[in-house]
Amino acid sequence: MYPLISVLIPVYEVEEYLDRCVQSVLAQTYENFEIVMVDDGSKDRSAEIASRYAEEHENIHLIRSEHAGVSHARNVLLENAKGEYVFFLDSDDNMNPRTLEVLYNLLKEKNADIVQCEMKKMWKTQVLNTSSYIEVYKNDIVERFCCWQSGLLRCMLSAKLYKKTMFCNVHFPEGKTHEDEATMHRILENAHCVACTSKAFYQYYYNPNSITKRKFSDDRYDILDAMEDRLLLCLERNLDFAADMTRLHMLLLVIELYRRTVNEVGTGAEALIWLNKRSCTLIDGLLTTNYFNSKICTLFTVWKANPMQGELPNFKVISTDCWNKRGDIS
């Protein structure tokens, strides 16, 4: 008998997509699964649709909640999951019928704690990759992840099959967004082996009403709290290089948020004061290292004077350059 997998679906006002989502789970070739849904106070027909499935299928469970956000929903889902393994599926997405089977077999084959497949963007024409490859990480998982040197491994909670024990001492930050960024480093810290396949079994749908697609608001700043916790973990584990790269990542996010605040809120926004202070503090720390070339250091100096000036470089490009030459520096 194959072990139970809990497919966890947070639901909030997705009446257009929920049938497709649930049907994709019911079509799985892996037979021993349950579906747990939390309706986060939807005002459309989402709760009605979810309730119908729960009434028709013994292995589908619905929990109703007052609207408290997706992080709260994910915490409730984990608390109610009975499976040895868990898989997060967003309610406007769906997955290939072989997803759970392939990921479980890969997990057992590689003796992994977490396995991930790629995402297929549903609004683009893509062919499922039949000549796939697999990456396995056993050492320096958190350091590689924080420095974006982990290949296929992504930050998203979805498209991964986890041993449920990976969520020991992990709590999604309720009342905040960017719960993926806030927790993935903590989840990976619990893993001894992570395997990724390049096959795109998870089908991601562009929902213009999702949290990340909405008009700029204060919850955009939650990403910085997530990165602060990532930095804290690096410092706790004496991952000094990863800590510096996390500071760099934070700086680029702060500069981007500063510019978006100016452009979408206005030059009088109160957030600009603390964003500027945070950028200056990060820059002062980064300039004490010797990882960055003169062009990047000059850009840091420019930002101290005016965060609106200069290009916004790609974090992965800079981090990769630093990663490749850090042996020579040390």
Side-chain angles (χ1 to χ4, degrees), residues 121-289:
K121 299 174 182 179
M122 293 178 64
W123 66 94
K124 293 185 178 181
T125 301
Q126 291 177 279
V127 178
L128 191 65
N129 189 354
T130 55
S131 57
S132 65
Y133 61 95
I134 293 169
E135 294 177 348
V136 178
Y137 296 98
K138 294 184 178 180
N139 300 310
D140 306 325
I141 298 173
V142 171
E143 183 176 31
R144 286 184 170 274
F145 171 76
C146 292
C147 299
W148 285 24
Q149 301 302 308
S150 52
L152 290 173
L153 181 60
R154 304 286 186 263
C155 187
M156 72 277 185
L157 286 160
S158 302
K160 292 181 176 69
L161 181 65
Y162 308 84
K163 289 182 179 178
K164 191 182 178 184
T165 53
M166 295 299 98
F167 293 90
C168 179
N169 299 319
V170 173
H171 187 79
F172 296 106
E174 300 199 7
K176 293 183 178 292
T177 58
H178 296 284
E179 74 280 4
D180 304 63
E181 291 91 343
T183 56
M184 187 52 64
H185 50 283
R186 296 285 178 182
I187 297 168
L188 292 174
E189 185 190 23
N190 291 329
H192 297 290
C193 178
V194 177
C196 302
T197 174
S198 63
K199 284 193 174 182
F201 285 108
Y202 189 100
Q203 300 182 75
Y204 171 78
Y205 180 73
Y206 177 86
N207 181 354
N209 295 317
S210 69
I211 291 173
T212 57
K213 307 300 187 302
R214 292 173 188 166
K215 187 177 179 180
F216 188 88
S217 61
D218 286 350
D219 59 16
R220 294 286 187 178
Y221 304 126
D222 290 347
I223 182 66
L224 300 180
D225 292 334
M227 296 302 294
E228 285 283 5
D229 190 72
R230 188 175 298 181
L231 176 60
L232 177 62
L233 176 63
C234 292
L235 295 174
E236 289 172 346
R237 301 297 178 264
N238 296 316
L239 302 174
D240 296 335
F241 178 77
D244 284 331
M245 292 303 104
T246 300
R247 290 188 181 97
L248 171 65
H249 196 175
M250 288 176 63
L251 174 61
L252 297 180
L253 289 169
V254 168
I255 298 299
E256 180 184 6
L257 285 167
Y258 186 98
R259 295 178 179 184
R260 289 201 61 183
T261 302
V262 169
N263 293 331
E264 300 184 42
V265 181
T267 56
E270 294 182 4
L272 296 176
I273 298 174
W274 64 264
L275 285 170
N276 188 47
K277 287 182 179 178
R278 183 169 288 196
S279 69
C280 290
T281 300
L282 289 167
I283 289 169
D284 288 341
L286 291 170
L287 286 174
T288 64
T289 72

